């Protein structure tokens, strides 16, 4: 398997955690998103929608992080990232989608770039946008945890699940933008427990090296 | 089962289609989102994250449209909305998530409301934002179909799937904002085939009546 990914992209990070948790070996193909390598003709041959991550499994290239994790779960069921009971699975998926659908899309690179350009926002303006959606989304997460009361050391009791693959990258991104995360103690307690584990350390942005799949590009432009 | 939903919300519409396709009866609890009924204390007791849809199955209330559809698929497998082969499932999920994660979140009510307020956008400004993300996202969909070559009458060959539950509501929303959809012939051909089916007609926004779950609210405020 080859994983096309970027060190900082949350969605890439989710899949790296899942691969590491399941002990699945893969070749890393790292893209420099700041230099727009994901929009390059070379990468569009791999993934026509120009998004990361993409997992090349030989016969096909799979896209969309949660669809990839579900595929990995079906083809490499142990150790599991989805619990066996349908209601428990619905809980883990709801939490994962709360992050992947309600928080991340508002703060990913293509959205920030558009807000910057369309509304002439400087870095401070972008930070305001970013922090708004983190505060909004993390409040949703805390409300969800408070109501469901199903978390333990991790999102789903004391068992690592797909939801942990989503929550850790989202916190990492929020920390990069210096968001105040003190108001979200449950989220942070789970994050702190997860990032101690070897699989999460192996998958972390800081451990991806800087060997770009495409050659380095001068001044951020192709 | 009780479905808390709104007629126009794409995510609600997805779940209505899945319920109709599977022939699962449910009680309708319609919310008036223009009047912010989803943010009311009454609804927060049902769903603390104040989003629609939510499916009350008695012992629990399930949230997040795709997590709900996956639950329905596991508990009511026939007629299926996910194909039996893992790679085919990855395709259907990737397409569903492309809509649910890359298009819809940028154009849902909470995002539009924030853009309107934060960047002082009038209706024309909101339309520009909306149309940008439809054009961007629908181009992704066309590229995806062109590369995968797995669509037929519907998203996955000639079998209705979860992806059709996602594509039809997204087109309906884009039509409501008068987006030019001529550049997306594959998306539109699939949409047009789907909406002829009785289950899709039954689930459509126009067939939800106007019996609000909470009493009508004067002048849009609580």
């Amino acid at each position: 398997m080859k994983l096309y990914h970027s060190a900082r992209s949350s969605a890439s990070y989710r899949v790296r955690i899942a691969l590491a948790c399941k002990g699945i070996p893969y070749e890393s193909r790292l893209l420099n998103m700041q230099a727009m390598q994901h929009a390059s003709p070379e990468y569009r041959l791999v993934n026509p929608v120009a998004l990361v991550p993409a997992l090349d499994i030989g016969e096909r290239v799979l896209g969309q992080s949660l669809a990839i994790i579900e595929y990995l779960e079906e083809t490499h069921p142990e150790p599991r990232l989805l619990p066996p009971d349908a209601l428990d699975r619905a809980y883990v998926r709801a939490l994962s989608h709360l992050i992947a659908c309600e928080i991340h899309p508002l703060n990913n690179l293509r959205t920030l770039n558009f807000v910057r350009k369309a509304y002439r926002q400087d870095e401070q303006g972008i930070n305001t946008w970013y922090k708004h959606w983190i505060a909004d989304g993390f409040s949703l997460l805390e409300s969800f945890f408070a109501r469901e009361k199903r978390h333990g050391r991790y999102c789903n009791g004391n068992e690592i699940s797909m939801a942990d693959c989503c929550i850790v990258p989202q916190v990492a991104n929020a920390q990069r933008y210096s968001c105040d995360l003190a108001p979200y103690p449950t989220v942070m307690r789970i994050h702190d427990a997860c990032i101690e584990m070897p699989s999460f350390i192996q998958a972390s942005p800081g451990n991806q090296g800087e060997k770009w799949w495409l050659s380095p590009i001068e001044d951020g432009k192709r």
Side-chain angles (χ1 to χ4, degrees), chain A residues 2 25 27 46 81 97 100 106 115 137 142 146 166 175 192 203 218:
Chain A
K2 291 177 200 150
E27 293 174 37
V46 175
L81 291 173
H97 291 205
L106 294 158
V115 168
E142 287 289 327
C166 296
Q175 288 175 327
D192 294 349
E218 299 294 330

Side-chain angles (χ1 to χ4, degrees), chain A residues 14 27 30 62-63 85 115 124 129 134 145 147 150 160 174 199 202 204:
Chain A
R14 288 175 203 151
E27 293 174 37
L30 204 60
L62 310 181
D85 175 74
V115 168
Q124 195 185 336
W129 166 273
I134 290 296
F145 283 126
R147 159 66 169 273
R150 298 166 74 83
I160 288 288
S199 47
Q202 179 189 330
S204 70

Side-chain angles (χ1 to χ4, degrees), chain A residues 92-220:
Chain A
V92 169
R93 287 191 177 115
L95 190 43
S96 305
H97 291 205
L98 203 50
I99 297 167
C101 299
E102 312 294 343
I103 305 178
H104 177 62
L106 294 158
N107 282 346
N108 68 10
L109 192 60
R110 65 195 254 274
T111 309
L112 299 183
N113 282 344
F114 184 74
V115 168
R116 183 179 288 115
K117 207 179 82 181
Y119 306 122
R120 296 195 189 82
Q121 295 296 303
D122 58 12
E123 282 318 296
Q124 195 185 336
I126 291 298
N127 275 333
T128 303
W129 166 273
Y130 192 99
K131 286 176 179 174
H132 168 79
W133 292 113
I134 290 296
D136 182 271
F138 279 39
S139 300
L140 295 185
L141 291 176
E142 287 289 327
S143 306
F144 185 80
F145 283 126
R147 159 66 169 273
E148 295 285 327
K149 295 185 183 66
R150 298 166 74 83
H151 59 283
R153 184 165 171 80
Y154 307 120
C155 286
N156 183 38
N158 295 317
E159 191 168 297
I160 288 288
S161 71
M162 181 165 74
D164 301 301
C165 301
C166 296
I167 211 166
V168 164
Q170 193 59 65
V171 169
N173 261 17
Q175 288 175 327
R176 194 150 62 81
Y177 277 79
S178 307
C179 297
D180 176 17
L181 300 177
Y184 318 109
T186 315
V187 170
M188 292 313 295
R189 200 167 42 69
I190 291 168
H191 166 267
D192 294 349
C194 287
I195 60 164
E196 286 180 3
M197 298 182 66
S199 47
F200 283 74
I201 294 171
Q202 179 189 330
S204 70
N207 281 335
Q208 303 314 307
E210 288 203 347
K211 274 192 181 175
W212 309 125
W213 170 55
L214 298 168
S215 333
I217 293 160
E218 299 294 330
D219 72 24

